[in-house]
Structure formats: structure tokens, C-alpha cells
Amino acid sequence: MPLTFHLDPPLTPTLHEGILTLWTAVSNAGGAVGFVPPVTPEVIRPELLKHLIAMAEGRHRLLLGLDDHGTPTATAFFSFNTHRLMTHWVWLYTVMVHPAHQGRGYGRDLMRAAESAARGFDGIDAIRLGCRGGLGLEHFYASCGYKEVGRVPDAIRVAPDDHRDDITMLLPLT
């Protein structure tokens, strides 16, 4: 069953809670989406609220993947640059697929949908994203057409004795 992708869906309380549930499940499964397990929805909620405020202000856009039951199963947030010399590219943040649905090609579907959406944004020539080293994520993104353009060794502290590289990937759209 393929996911159905929606750009800028209406944010109902039910959808808000569904995204929070997704983010919690991904985090607790070890996903590199800003948190380290174990984590509760209440720990993640303030970060989701920051994304929602940025959406209301027009600085972020949400790409949401729903399963056949209408449950949030995948997300990616676009963040627009405000610096006048960098408005030609967007950041892609909080890219995630529910752990129960991984291994079915939904990650690739999400990345294709993100690329397609970004191609529809006026004046956008590229997508950048950051990923945490040590999980092979850079290989997945490379297989989706992204190129590694930067790496800061040990920039992410997952635990006091566990540092990971911060890797920047780029997908030109032109």
C-alpha cells in the first residue's frame, strides 16, 4: 500500500497528535530526528510546536505521508532561508518514516515527494539536509541523488561518550 503525500495539510488537533506520535516512535526506535531514546511525547511537543509556529509564519512547510488509514506515517519539513543570499535553496528537516513501515520503500517515496514539492517552489534551486553520522543515513540520501557537501566530525553528542559527525547533503534541482 503506497503512502499518500500532502503538502501543507490542514493541521487539525488529530493530525498534530499523529505527527507527535510518529516523531516519538521514530525517536524511540533510534531514528536521528533530534532526540535520543527513551523520549516521551511531552519532551518532543515543544519542538513540534516550533515547527508549527514556523509554518504559521510561512518559514516552514510540511510534507506529510499518510497510510491507507489516514495515519501520519512519514514527514519532512521544508525550512526557507531568510538570508537574501541564500533564498535559492531550502533545508529539509525532520525526515522520518514510522518504524513499523520502514523497509517498504516509503523513505524513497518520501524523498521523491520532497524533491517534487521543492521543484514547485518559486526560485528554489536545491535542497540541503543534515544527517547524523554513524547510522549510514548519508548512503541512503546519496542513493536518492543527494551529494555529501560537508562533514563536521564529532559535532553531535548523542551521549557523553558517543559523538557523531554532522553531515550536510545537497540535491541540486537544476
Side-chain angles (χ1 to χ4, degrees):
M1 86 191 128
L3 298 183
T4 304
F5 291 97
H6 303 274
L7 183 62
D8 302 324
L11 287 175
T12 64
T14 300
L15 188 57
H16 177 145
E17 289 303 311
I19 294 169
L20 185 62
T21 299
L22 168 63
W23 201 339
T24 303
V26 170
S27 296
N28 283 327
V33 288
F35 297 92
V36 177
V39 68
T40 65
E42 293 315 309
V43 170
I44 294 173
R45 188 179 305 278
E47 193 63 30
L48 176 57
L49 290 176
K50 288 178 189 176
H51 282 349
L52 298 177
I53 289 168
M55 287 172 56
E57 295 173 348
R59 295 180 293 114
H60 282 187
R61 293 183 75 177
L62 169 63
L63 178 64
L64 179 68
L66 300 175
D67 67 12
D68 60 343
H69 301 290
T71 304
T73 303
T75 64
F77 287 86
F78 294 95
S79 177
F80 293 89
N81 291 296
T82 57
H83 191 284
R84 66 188 165 279
L85 302 179
M86 297 183 195
T87 58
H88 61 288
W89 57 269
V90 293
W91 280 105
L92 198 59
Y93 284 109
T94 320
V95 176
M96 55 187 171
V97 173
H98 194 285
H101 296 284
Q102 291 178 1
R104 298 180 186 177
Y106 291 164
R108 287 190 194 291
D109 293 344
L110 175 62
M111 299 309 292
R112 277 192 295 274
E115 179 181 349
S116 178
R119 288 183 183 283
F121 300 159
D122 286 338
I124 298 301
D125 298 335
I127 303 172
R128 284 175 62 175
L129 63 82
C131 65
R132 183 187 305 170
L135 300 171
L137 297 171
E138 67 272 31
H139 304 298
F140 168 73
Y141 292 121
S143 74
C144 294
Y146 286 73
K147 175 181 165 188
E148 183 176 326
V149 294
R151 182 182 288 253
V152 180
D154 298 334
I156 301 170
R157 182 180 294 162
V158 177
D161 60 346
D162 186 357
H163 291 77
R164 308 288 178 86
D165 293 356
D166 181 11
I167 304 165
T168 302
M169 308 290 292
L170 178 75
L171 178 69
L173 299 175
T174 56

